[in-house]
Amino acid sequence: MMSTLITALDEYLSLRRRLGFKLEKEGRTLPKYVSFLGEHGKSYITTDLAVRWASNPPREGSPAQVGRRLSMVRLFAEYISATDPRNEVPSKTLLPGRFHRKPPFLYTDEQVVRLLKAARQLPSKCRPAQNLRARTYSTLLGLLSVTGMRIGEIIALDRDDVDFDQGVLPIRGAKFGKSRLVPLHPTAQRVLRQYADSRDRSYPRPQTQAFFVSARGVRMLASAVRFTFNRLSRKTGLRGPSDRYGPRLHDFRHRFATRALLRWYQDGADVEKHILELSTFLGHVNVSNTYWYLTAVPELLQLAAARADSVRGGVWS
């Protein structure tokens, strides 16, 4: 019965979420796979239908995306097959597309300034907050560039989270359930306080506890922020009028990380020691995610190689 498969999927997602996985994509995608099985008269997982479904995403998918879809099914199949052996577990050799990280786009200071200037000129049709949209986006993008936070972490901030006296932002329940404190420079504290004053003048009776609000006074959506950012990118020449891809919000995080590493190398600091601090600051699950920047950015790779060469007396082992 399909109801058995649906119940098993709910239990599977619930269990993994209690273990700390958010599973936002799986929560949207796997129910569609279960519906696909129902359309083909199946109440259990088969390798054939798993491959057929994974190979036909709604939009044209890369090998990595197709492989990721099958991987979602495989993990679910491993779970449910323990109690119902009729469910087949697709082999890992099928559709083995691997995810490859895109080289980071590293914004220059001039590009960041252009983006913030364009954000300050954003119009708003909401009469109670005609200037709030521009101030919201300029402040939000500025905070992204100086803290290395994820966009989801920023829009999840509540008013009580922003401590203007201590100058720290608590990040709770971030990726993989990790929490951390993000310190703020006094200039960032001042800008955030100015934004809060402007927001409260626009909406003296708040509709939400969110720190950053849309022009309508509600918590912002990541999809809306990305849409507006893409328009700002085109306006400032960071992407062409018809470009589907280009610099992303997440690249502000890359910029923050690489600038910190470059500064430490140039200052002769102990990067091996500081990289652990940076990994914690960024909320990385594993320090290897932070070391990735050393190979993704040519200038960093050259500095790291030169440092290693000098330590070993010019002889590589």
Side-chain angles (χ1 to χ4, degrees):
M1 298 289 292
M2 283 302 299
S3 59
T4 301
L5 199 60
I6 294 172
T7 300
L9 176 58
D10 290 340
E11 292 173 348
Y12 166 75
L13 293 173
S14 176
L15 173 63
R16 293 197 65 199
R17 283 168 176 152
R18 290 199 299 272
L19 293 173
F21 297 92
K22 293 195 173 182
L23 302 183
E24 294 177 354
K25 186 171 294 184
E26 287 83 349
R28 296 190 303 268
T29 304
L30 285 175
K32 297 176 182 177
Y33 170 66
V34 171
S35 297
F36 175 82
L37 287 178
E39 293 168 2
H40 287 76
K42 296 291 186 180
S43 59
Y44 51 89
I45 297 172
T46 68
T47 296
D48 176 60
L49 286 180
V51 172
R52 285 171 57 186
W53 175 81
S55 301
N56 293 279
R59 292 177 290 183
E60 183 178 351
S62 66
Q65 291 171 324
V66 170
R68 172 63 176 152
R69 281 162 63 86
L70 185 60
S71 177
M72 292 182 194
V73 175
R74 182 183 301 112
L75 291 174
F76 175 45
E78 290 175 349
Y79 168 82
I80 194 173
S81 64
T83 55
D84 187 348
R86 291 182 303 167
N87 292 279
E88 300 174 1
V89 179
S91 170
K92 292 183 179 181
T93 61
L94 297 171
L95 308 180
R98 297 179 64 86
F99 170 74
H100 297 281
R101 287 193 180 191
K102 297 178 181 178
F105 179 88
L106 303 180
Y107 298 101
T108 66
D109 290 344
E110 188 270 337
Q111 289 169 333
V112 173
V113 169
R114 289 205 328 253
L115 281 168
L116 296 183
K117 183 178 179 180
R120 294 189 192 103
Q121 298 171 353
L122 282 170
S124 176
K125 297 180 181 179
C126 295
R127 189 172 297 277
Q130 290 187 350
N131 297 319
L132 184 62
R133 182 167 180 253
R135 187 176 287 274
T136 296
Y137 275 94
S138 61
T139 305
L140 185 151
L141 294 179
L143 188 62
L144 278 175
S145 70
V146 300
T147 63
M149 294 172 65
R150 303 177 178 95
I151 181 58
E153 295 169 347
I154 286 185
I155 62 178
L157 287 172
D158 286 338
R159 293 165 181 248
D160 294 340
D161 290 333
V162 183
D163 189 332
F164 295 113
D165 296 324
Q166 297 297 320
V168 293
L169 297 177
I171 309 301
R172 306 182 186 89
K175 198 171 184 180
F176 295 102
K178 295 178 71 68
S179 299
R180 67 189 192 281
L181 294 176
V182 175
L184 295 172
H185 190 273
T187 56
Q189 296 178 49
R190 183 170 64 252
V191 172
L192 290 181
R193 188 186 293 274
Q194 292 170 348
Y195 170 74
D197 291 341
S198 178
R199 178 202 63 207
D200 293 344
R201 285 195 300 271
S202 297
Y203 290 101
R205 298 178 181 177
Q207 305 174 52
T208 174
Q209 288 301 309
F211 182 81
F212 286 103
V213 300
S214 70
R216 294 185 294 110
V218 299
R219 190 181 296 273
M220 305 181 77
L221 297 175
S223 57
V225 176
R226 291 190 180 97
F227 177 80
T228 299
F229 172 74
N230 289 345
R231 296 185 66 179
L232 292 173
S233 297
R234 292 188 177 95
K235 183 176 180 180
T236 55
L238 286 175
R239 65 172 70 191
S242 59
D243 289 350
R244 293 183 58 191
Y245 302 101
R248 306 163 299 161
L249 288 169
H250 202 71
D251 287 315
F252 281 109
R253 184 170 165 86
H254 295 324
R255 176 181 188 266
F256 178 88
T258 55
R259 285 170 69 92
L261 288 167
L262 282 170
R263 184 170 62 252
W264 289 333
Y265 272 114
Q266 292 166 350
D267 291 347
D270 185 346
V271 179
E272 290 293 321
K273 174 183 177 181
H274 286 300
I275 203 167
L276 293 174
E277 299 170 358
L278 180 61
S279 183
T280 301
F281 186 92
L282 292 171
H284 281 161
V285 175
N286 193 304
V287 71
S288 62
N289 294 325
T290 317
Y291 274 107
W292 169 74
Y293 289 106
L294 298 182
T295 58
V297 180
E299 186 176 357
L300 276 174
L301 186 60
Q302 292 171 3
L303 288 170
R307 176 71 61 86
D309 196 33
S310 64
V311 169
R312 293 169 181 155
V315 179
W316 290 94
S317 58

